Amino acid sequence: MKIILTLIIVFIVVTLGVFLFLKGYFQKRRMDNRMKDFLQSPLAIEIVKEEMKLSIFKRFFLKVSTIFENLQFSETTKRLLVESGSGLKPAEFLALRMFTSAGITILSAFLGISWYLLIPAFLIGFMIPKKMVQRKRKKRLERINYQLIEVLGMMANSMRAGFSFMQAMQLVGKEIPDPLGPEFERVVRQTGLGIPIEDVFEELVERLPNNELEVAVRAILAQRKSGGNLAQLLETMEDTIRGRIRILEELRTLTAQGRLSTWIITLLPVALAFYLALVNWDYFAPMVQEPLGWVLIFAGAAANVIGWLFIRKIIRIEV
């Protein structure tokens, strides 16, 4: 059964690879013929060809992603890719998840893992890219708090030196790295195109969902309507956010032991199960071959998840 399943997987992968390779080859030939017909300048042809030069893997990946272009993706997926700063489109992200799941499944089959464990391997491979993007999103949004202090101080000093509000934002776009720098530069470009600044800032808050950033944006918009010393307001928000971040860092230090205990307590049974399965399969086999063993596994997994949730709830302190 395992050999048949492996052969089926290899046949599907090879067939798909040959199909996409031939499709890309003939499409490239048609593109070359059209360039020869419509482009007279050899330099123009070389420029277009340089743009088409991609690695074989990337071309194969883009060809596979075109299969999923007509699918309707959820707003959650689109928002996740935008907030993480990823350059992937939803179709390309789905193709990446399919590649990862197929690769882990094939690797598991060649390693001799039982056929009934290939489905969990497929699901794990399908979830890995999403978890990586979620981790990238979390780190990107966490950097906002530290960058916002620098941004507010830079804007306040620039405005005291005679810069206008838009000039101060343009300076931030040039000097500050991702994520706030490019986003502020985008705000300046959109405002220059005639889009109301209120709508531009609303889109900024949607792309970067951060409480401190939202508070700063609301205060700036309110001040622009009511008037006042904007530089002084920016300095006040800078001090407030710096104090808030200091408290968050102190809480993170105090709860570090609890967070580490969460992962150790949760992963210890899983690691022990894998160790026993690899070292002494005859000893561990009744757990996956007997009905009572499956009941104990599901009960232990449920208790493990419940304990993890309780500990996370205890150590999570809102500020």
Side-chain angles (χ1 to χ4, degrees):
M1 180 65 184
K2 183 168 60 178
I3 297 176
I4 296 175
L5 183 61
T6 303
L7 292 176
I8 292 174
I9 294 174
V10 172
F11 175 76
I12 293 174
V13 172
V14 173
T15 304
L16 181 61
V18 172
F19 169 74
L20 293 173
F21 175 77
L22 293 177
K23 181 180 177 181
Y25 174 74
F26 287 113
Q27 185 176 0
K28 187 175 183 299
R29 284 189 59 183
R30 288 196 299 267
M31 185 66 70
D32 291 339
N33 293 332
R34 293 185 64 185
M35 286 192 299
K36 290 178 181 178
D37 293 336
F38 295 102
L39 295 178
Q40 301 298 327
S41 173
L43 180 60
I45 296 177
E46 291 299 325
I47 293 174
V48 175
K49 285 186 175 181
E50 285 294 329
E51 295 178 354
M52 294 177 59
K53 284 184 179 178
L54 297 172
S55 63
I56 297 176
F57 177 77
K58 189 171 184 180
R59 280 187 290 177
F60 178 74
F61 174 73
L62 293 176
K63 292 297 181 183
V64 174
S65 64
T66 57
I67 301 175
F68 309 109
E69 285 184 349
N70 295 326
L71 297 179
Q72 293 293 332
F73 296 94
S74 64
E75 291 297 327
T76 304
T77 302
K78 297 178 182 178
R79 194 182 311 116
L80 176 63
L81 294 175
V82 171
E83 293 174 359
S84 65
S86 174
L88 294 175
K89 299 178 182 178
E92 296 173 352
F93 181 57
L94 179 57
L96 177 62
R97 299 180 72 180
M98 296 299 295
F99 269 116
T100 308
S101 57
I104 292 181
T105 303
I106 295 173
L107 180 61
S108 301
F110 279 114
L111 291 176
I113 296 178
S114 302
W115 63 270
Y116 51 82
L117 295 178
L118 295 181
I119 296 178
F122 181 87
L123 296 177
I124 291 173
F126 192 75
M127 293 301 298
I128 286 176
K130 184 176 181 180
K131 293 299 181 182
M132 292 178 64
V133 173
Q134 288 176 343
R135 183 175 178 82
K136 181 180 178 182
R137 170 189 177 274
K138 181 180 179 181
K139 289 185 176 180
R140 186 170 184 260
L141 295 181
E142 286 178 350
R143 287 200 302 268
I144 295 177
N145 293 334
Y146 301 96
Q147 285 188 343
L148 191 58
I149 297 174
E150 184 178 356
V151 166
L152 294 175
M154 182 183 297
M155 292 180 64
N157 294 333
S158 300
M159 296 185 69
R160 289 190 183 279
F163 282 43
S164 66
F165 177 69
M166 297 307 299
Q167 288 175 334
M169 291 189 61
Q170 189 174 9
L171 179 63
V172 169
K174 292 180 179 179
E175 299 295 334
I176 302 298
D178 184 76
L180 284 184
E183 291 294 338
F184 272 63
E185 189 175 1
R186 181 175 179 176
V187 168
V188 174
R189 289 199 307 267
Q190 289 178 332
T191 307
L193 294 175
I195 303 176
I197 192 170
E198 291 81 5
D199 298 339
V200 175
F201 274 124
E202 289 292 339
E203 293 180 2
L204 173 64
V205 173
E206 291 179 0
R207 291 192 301 271
L208 298 176
N210 180 274
N211 294 331
E212 285 74 16
L213 179 61
E214 184 175 1
V215 170
V217 167
R218 302 298 179 195
I220 291 173
L221 292 178
Q223 191 277 338
R224 288 179 63 86
K225 292 181 180 179
S226 60
N229 191 340
L230 182 57
Q232 184 177 359
L233 175 64
L234 294 175
E235 289 179 348
T236 303
M237 288 191 297
E238 178 189 0
D239 295 335
T240 302
I241 294 174
R242 180 178 284 108
R244 178 182 172 87
I245 291 177
R246 184 177 64 253
I247 294 175
L248 290 174
E249 290 179 346
E250 290 177 358
L251 288 176
R252 189 176 292 112
T253 303
L254 295 175
T255 58
Q257 182 180 357
R259 286 185 280 112
L260 182 61
S261 301
T262 303
W263 290 108
I264 293 176
I265 294 173
T266 304
L267 296 178
L268 186 60
V270 180
L272 181 61
F274 276 106
Y275 174 77
L276 292 176
L278 292 175
V279 174
N280 193 347
W281 173 251
D282 294 334
Y283 179 79
F284 186 76
M287 290 295 293
V288 295
Q289 294 177 353
E290 300 294 334
L292 180 60
W294 283 105
V295 172
L296 293 176
I297 289 176
F298 283 117
N304 207 13
V305 172
I306 292 174
W308 182 81
L309 293 175
F310 269 105
I311 297 176
R312 297 291 294 182
K313 186 69 175 177
I314 292 172
I315 64 176
R316 183 179 299 159
I317 302 174
E318 299 292 340
V319 178

